Amino acid sequence: ITLEVLSFNEVVRSVLANQCEIGFVAYPVHDAGVSQHPITEGQSVCVMPAGHPLAQSKVVRPADLREEPFIAISRNVPSGHHVDEIFAAAGVPRRIVIETQTATAACALVKRGMGISILDPFTVAALADPRMVWRPFVPGYPFRFSALTRTDRQVPRIARLFLDEVRAAVSAPARTSYSA
């Protein structure tokens, strides 16, 4: 098994080009050449440095983030586009100080105190650290993690077994509370 971390568009292209057996994505794919196999879903969260005043909130709303240094996910990533739409609909401008392609990079920047971000709950929980806390973001948007395969190919046994392990890992009892 080889695991490569690629952008959303690169994952879809790799599956379609037959460069991999399975691709993992957090957004719907609208291409007849791929089948989506649901794994799990969750709602977006607001991630902030530990000790931030918003850490006392039960939920975070767009208006709460007015004038806060914001770490944005790039507009060419579906989640970045969703966040842009949420803030535009709320009429709340953001003070974007950094833009990145990945939630992993955004978490690293939050941990260093460089700003606040809106991210998927799975990456955030996987990178949990005492330097970072998160709260539900309202109105949130769903992340629907799924595996992609080509519609015209049977998935090899080893790839099916790997997918079974991934499903088992995400269905195991998870941390259900937000960090304090």
Side-chain angles (χ1 to χ4, degrees):
I1 294 174
T2 300
L3 180 63
E4 292 184 42
V5 179
L6 305 171
S7 71
F8 171 75
N9 291 328
E10 291 170 323
V11 170
V12 175
R13 276 194 298 271
S14 293
V15 170
L16 287 168
N18 209 29
Q19 296 172 331
C20 64
E21 302 294 342
I22 300 174
F24 295 96
V25 294
Y27 315 104
V29 176
H30 307 289
D31 192 300
V34 296
S35 295
Q36 285 194 251
H37 310 276
I39 296 173
T40 191
E41 71 177 65
Q43 291 290 317
S44 55
V45 295
C46 180
V47 186
M48 66 205 77
H52 191 281
L54 287 173
Q56 302 305 313
S57 302
K58 294 273 187 211
V59 299
V60 176
R61 300 178 192 288
D64 298 330
L65 300 179
R66 185 183 308 273
E67 298 305 315
E68 291 287 344
F70 194 84
I71 300 165
I73 299 296
S74 301
R75 292 175 184 93
N76 62 345
V77 176
S79 63
H81 180 72
H82 288 309
V83 171
D84 288 348
E85 288 177 340
I86 289 169
F87 278 87
V92 175
R94 287 172 293 160
R95 186 165 64 98
I96 297 173
V97 294
I98 301 172
E99 186 173 301
T100 181
Q101 292 265 336
T102 70
T104 303
C107 283
L109 295 164
V110 168
K111 290 174 188 179
R112 305 240 343 134
M114 300 185 78
I116 292 175
S117 195
I118 307 299
L119 303 170
D120 76 87
F122 305 105
T123 302
V124 173
L127 300 174
D129 182 294
R131 298 172 291 169
M132 174 178 81
V133 298
W134 61 95
R135 298 290 178 262
F137 180 67
V138 177
Y141 57 92
F143 283 88
R144 292 182 178 98
F145 286 88
S146 59
L148 301 181
T149 59
R150 287 177 53 112
T151 55
D152 63 350
R153 277 191 80 204
Q154 178 140 358
V155 180
R157 182 174 183 274
I158 188 74
R160 287 193 317 268
L161 291 171
F162 180 70
L163 184 52
D164 289 344
E165 290 297 319
V166 169
R167 282 192 177 114
V170 299
S171 68
R175 190 159 146 184
T176 56
S177 62
Y178 292 91
S179 65

